[in-house]
Amino acid sequence: MTALPGETPGTGGTDTPQDDVSPPDEAGAQEPAADADPASEGGEAAGSPSEGGGTEAAGLESTEAGAGAAEASPADSASTGAGTADASTAPELSEAQAELVAQRELRERIEQRKAAKAAPVAAGAGLSGTAADLLAAVRAVESGKKAGSAFFGSPAPAQAPRRPAPAAAQPPRTPASQAAPAPQAASLDAVRAVLVEGGAPEALARPAVGALGEQAAELLRTDPWQLLAVPGVRPEQADGFARALLGADCGPDDGRRTTALVGWVLERAALQGHTALDAQAVRAALAERAVSDPDAAVREAVEEGVALLFREGEDEEPDGVEADAGETDEDSLAEGADAPREPVRILLGLDRYALAEESLADGLARLVNTCEKAADWAEAAAAAPSPSAAELIRTTAAAGLVAHSGGEAARAEPAALIAAARGLGLRAFGATHSEDGRRRLAAATGDPDTAVTLAGLLSGAQGPGRDEEGALALDLLVVLDAPQLDVESAAVLVEALADGARLVLSGDPGVLGSAGAGRVFADVLAARTCPQVVSRTPDPGPIGELVSGIGIGELNQVDAPGKEVVIVPVRDAGEAVHRTVQLVADSVPRAFSIPADETQVITVGHGGAAGTRVLNEALKQRLNPGPGRFGGFDPGDRVVHVPAPGRAVPGVVRSADAEGLHLDCGGVPVVVPQEGVESSVRHGWALSAHQAAGMRWPAAVVVLPGDAAQGLSRPWVYTAFGRGERHLSVVHGVDQALPHAVAQVPAQERTTRLRSLLEALPTPDAAS
């Protein structure tokens, strides 16, 4: 491999803005990177930019992309992974429907839990558990009954009960027209009228109904800041809308405004991957939005149930020590004063993520504690194809939950585990996040029936289906590409596993994180509440050697006698686009006999002079020119379909008719309704690294224009460079920004509660 020359790093043009509270550029922006600003990287996963419309009187931009995201996923804003329906049956669940069914089940369970706690009462009386205790403490402080140190209480860690399998029956296979009923025309008309009155674009009517329900018009009229619940709407736009409706009756400290802002800040944090946010960060964000008393705003948001309050970091009081310090022994006090205490960390979070993390932690502990540990898989381990595979088999035999980490070559080890378990008569399956991953797993196990997608497994369209108790009818489940698993998807999955089932989370910890909120795999590894198996199988070849070095922070020159790795220096973005098209259309097919449709272009962002938009336009003109007669698409166009926010599914356009745009997504036919094409389908010759995560192609062309330097990080480079199986071309124009990113820009940490929840739960049989 040659040296890495290039241009002086530039700025801009990437989808990694530094504004932590700005809306995403993408329609389904849900892919918070663990290394870059996930708000926009989530947009990469979603796959399409918010083009926006004209500015109305209230200063509110049209957010068609956000509207489309709401239409594509009215039940939820998280993604469980792309599923597939039976290709031969028209009424089968589509990928979007299969995903939404699984998410809808979790949402219904959450709503049932919330409704069972108490009837809705104003001023936070409907809260319970941690939130209610903390609210009581807040009020005690305000009334002077307790000192400020009592503001945050610390509940004792809950025990992990042995819960029965979830009673969710296999989701019915409904036609697309019945999967997500369209809003009533009267509701849409009423919302349009309110939007027009407030100077907002009518295009927001449908996403507003999707976000706020059939009573959206009434809610918006009485509380205009509810418009912040619509994807893509910014606070200054909601402020303009409120001023137009309320006139002088509203101000920056209006309780409706401050409460909505707290929710908006937390939603923005979720787009970046956080399931909770430090209270100080929330207060700082409110102060930036002209809120004069952020502390009071946070308290009101907690009282109203918009946010939940959590405390982390402080040890509990020792046994036998009363809260009244006046009765405490002086020697004990002196000894306690010398002991270092962790600082208390106050977190705010949305209930949906709090419930998901608590449910997930409880479910993982249940699997650890209910699994039969005495299984004898010695013979199967002895017959394993590698020492690492043998270790994984032995470990899984003795544990209900196992974390397995390794690179691309290490995927053979979970495949060997599945084959060994099935040889022992167990119902073993492997789940992936994409059809490409499913295909590769099926090839590794030699049995297509063992490989499913997560959405297909949960919907019943693939895999073993459900048993009589509603649990998945399996004994062992291996989830590959586990870093792509967000907390809500993981909670749905674990709730679907029966007591006694084994779960193996397998993945490469060096790749970009999940599209949705949370860092499930990283938290499980960090909590060390289950056995961990680290593969010793290296990735082969020059690409494997290069990527392995990147994983430890080294950008090495590798020997590539067959031109497996090629560096193409460029001077500017225009040359980067030209050389990229040349590589895909001419050089790679000629040198490696890899056709253009098997070469994937990967770039840092969607915007800029060499982002996905510009590259896709140039590649279409060269590879499949046409008028775009089907909503901007022609038969043969490579596209990326966004069945739900944060999930990108590559496909090819086949045709279009009254039903919508017909796609072939990895051999699975998908029909995108006409009204959803603009918001959920984008050209896909060029993808972002987030969109490409978990998939591989025979050849990959990674484009690094000068304006992409700020979007680079070690996980981004690691992910992008590892997408090519036989060949990697790097169109390089960022000069020293590339080695700097690899050596010194690690993954951006996400704020989550799962690790502490796992550490608090009793798992006596778990190995460390």
Side-chain angles (χ1 to χ4, degrees):
M1 184 175 105
T2 62
L4 298 172
E7 288 288 296
T8 301
T11 59
T14 71
D15 280 317
T16 54
Q18 300 304 311
D19 182 8
D20 286 349
V21 292
S22 62
D25 186 43
E26 290 306 310
Q30 277 283 338
E31 181 159 32
D35 57 286
D37 184 334
S40 65
E41 284 298 289
E44 293 180 24
S48 52
S50 173
E51 299 298 339
T55 303
E56 299 291 337
L60 198 72
E61 296 177 355
S62 174
T63 53
E64 288 289 346
E71 293 173 12
S73 177
D76 193 9
S77 64
S79 169
T80 59
T84 60
D86 187 355
S88 62
T89 308
E92 298 294 300
L93 291 175
S94 69
E95 293 177 6
Q97 296 158 13
E99 183 168 340
L100 294 177
V101 165
Q103 290 294 338
R104 194 175 297 115
E105 288 180 0
L106 178 62
R107 187 71 65 248
E108 290 172 355
R109 285 193 290 271
I110 290 176
E111 293 301 328
Q112 290 170 1
R113 292 172 186 167
K114 292 167 61 179
K117 290 179 179 179
V121 180
L127 298 177
S128 65
T130 301
D133 294 339
L134 293 171
L135 177 57
V138 172
R139 288 174 170 168
V141 173
E142 292 175 335
S143 64
K145 294 180 180 179
K146 289 189 178 182
S149 60
F151 191 86
F152 302 103
S154 177
Q159 297 294 313
R162 177 179 177 129
R163 301 187 308 178
Q170 180 171 328
R173 299 183 177 184
T174 56
S177 60
Q178 299 177 10
Q184 296 293 329
S187 299
L188 288 174
D189 290 341
V191 173
R192 288 192 187 99
V194 177
L195 291 172
V196 170
E197 183 179 348
E202 295 183 35
L204 292 176
R206 189 174 294 274
V209 173
L212 302 174
E214 296 294 333
Q215 303 301 316
E218 180 180 349
L219 287 173
L220 289 173
R221 187 172 295 280
T222 58
D223 184 357
W225 287 282
Q226 290 289 326
L227 195 65
L228 283 174
V230 177
V233 175
R234 296 178 58 86
E236 55 268 26
Q237 298 165 341
D239 288 342
F241 180 66
R243 285 193 298 270
L245 289 179
L246 303 178
D249 293 335
C250 66
D253 291 319
D254 190 300
R256 294 168 292 184
R257 178 179 187 265
T258 59
T259 299
L261 280 176
V262 171
W264 180 82
V265 169
L266 294 177
E267 288 286 1
R268 292 300 309 161
L271 290 177
Q272 298 172 28
H274 308 289
T275 59
L277 201 60
D278 191 285
Q280 183 58 43
V282 176
R283 290 192 289 266
L286 294 176
E288 292 177 357
R289 300 289 175 181
V291 176
S292 62
D293 191 349
D295 290 330
V298 168
R299 286 196 298 269
E300 184 171 0
V302 172
E303 291 179 357
E304 294 297 328
V306 172
L308 299 181
L309 211 58
F310 307 98
R311 188 209 67 176
E312 290 189 351
E314 185 180 53
D315 295 333
E316 295 181 346
E317 293 291 339
D319 292 338
V321 177
E322 298 294 332
D324 185 359
E327 301 179 4
T328 305
D329 183 82
E330 293 182 2
D331 294 336
S332 299
L333 284 175
E335 181 179 352
D338 294 336
R341 297 176 64 87
E342 289 188 36
V344 179
R345 190 181 190 191
I346 308 304
L347 301 178
L348 291 169
L350 298 172
D351 60 353
R352 57 182 286 194
Y353 299 116
L355 288 170
E357 283 187 309
E358 291 165 4
S359 173
L360 177 57
D362 176 75
L364 292 176
R366 173 175 59 87
L367 295 179
V368 169
N369 294 322
T370 61
C371 177
E372 175 58 51
K373 309 298 193 303
D376 183 8
W377 295 7
E379 292 186 8
S386 69
S388 293
E391 181 183 1
L392 180 60
I393 293 172
R394 288 193 298 268
T395 304
T396 305
L401 174 66
V402 176
H404 170 261
S405 58
E408 185 64 29
R411 295 172 72 94
E413 295 155 20
L417 170 63
I418 294 170
R422 292 180 77 89
L424 294 170
L426 299 178
R427 301 168 296 177
F429 295 85
T432 68
H433 291 269
S434 66
E435 279 297 325
D436 173 74
R438 180 190 180 197
R439 172 186 58 79
R440 287 185 285 139
L441 177 59
T445 61
D447 183 357
D449 293 337
T450 62
V452 298
T453 62
L454 277 173
L457 174 68
L458 292 170
S459 69
Q462 301 171 4
R466 307 270 179 156
D467 61 21
E468 62 278 3
E469 294 182 341
L472 292 170
L474 51 78
D475 303 303
L476 168 65
L477 178 65
V478 181
V479 178
L480 280 79
D481 300 315
Q484 307 304 310
L485 193 63
D486 65 88
V487 68
E488 290 187 304
S489 303
V492 172
L493 178 65
V494 171
E495 284 202 19
L497 297 177
D499 288 357
R502 288 175 165 84
L503 175 64
V504 176
L505 299 177
S506 175
D508 189 340
V511 300
L512 292 168
S514 63
R519 33 169 269 160
V520 174
F521 189 56
D523 282 339
V524 169
L525 291 175
R528 302 192 67 81
T529 53
C530 71
Q532 300 181 16
V533 177
V534 180
S535 174
R536 298 184 297 277
T537 305
D539 288 337
I543 297 178
E545 181 182 350
L546 176 64
V547 172
S548 296
I550 293 171
I552 60 174
E554 299 176 358
L555 186 64
N556 301 317
Q557 297 187 35
V558 298
D559 184 19
K563 295 185 177 180
E564 293 87 350
V565 179
V566 174
I567 306 300
V568 182
V570 294
R571 294 182 298 273
D572 53 42
E575 185 180 4
V577 174
H578 172 75
R579 295 303 299 273
T580 299
V581 174
Q582 184 181 57
L583 284 166
V584 174
D586 298 323
S587 303
V588 173
R590 183 175 62 252
F592 302 97
S593 299
I594 299 175
D597 59 0
E598 294 182 5
T599 299
Q600 184 60 57
V601 175
I602 301 170
T603 189
V604 175
H606 301 290
T612 60
R613 302 185 190 106
V614 173
L615 286 169
N616 275 317
E617 182 179 355
L619 288 164
K620 174 173 172 56
Q621 291 178 359
R622 177 64 183 274
L623 299 174
N624 194 45
R629 64 181 186 274
F630 300 147
F633 302 98
D634 295 295
D637 278 357
R638 284 178 66 176
V639 296
V640 57
H641 175 223
V642 187
R647 185 63 191 167
V649 182
V652 178
V653 175
R654 293 307 183 200
S655 63
D657 54 26
E659 290 185 60
L661 192 66
H662 292 256
L663 309 178
D664 179 349
C665 296
V668 178
V670 173
V671 180
V672 182
Q674 293 183 21
E675 62 272 15
V677 170
E678 182 178 357
S679 61
S680 66
V681 182
R682 293 292 183 269
H683 285 110
W685 284 281
L687 302 176
S688 69
H690 279 92
Q691 291 174 318
M695 295 180 282
R696 298 193 90 199
W697 292 265
V701 177
V702 178
V703 184
L704 304 175
D707 62 1
Q710 292 184 346
L712 296 178
S713 66
R714 185 186 306 164
W716 192 97
V717 178
Y718 186 91
T719 303
F721 282 25
R723 296 313 95 198
E725 294 176 337
R726 296 167 49 193
H727 174 74
L728 168 67
S729 284
V730 180
V731 179
H732 182 34
V734 290
D735 197 37
Q736 293 304 307
L738 179 58
H740 171 78
V742 170
Q744 301 184 34
V745 186
Q748 176 183 322
E749 289 295 328
R750 302 183 182 188
T751 302
T752 65
R753 298 175 53 243
L754 180 60
R755 176 181 177 178
S756 60
L757 290 170
L758 289 173
E759 291 173 339
L761 287 172
T763 54
D765 297 330
S768 59

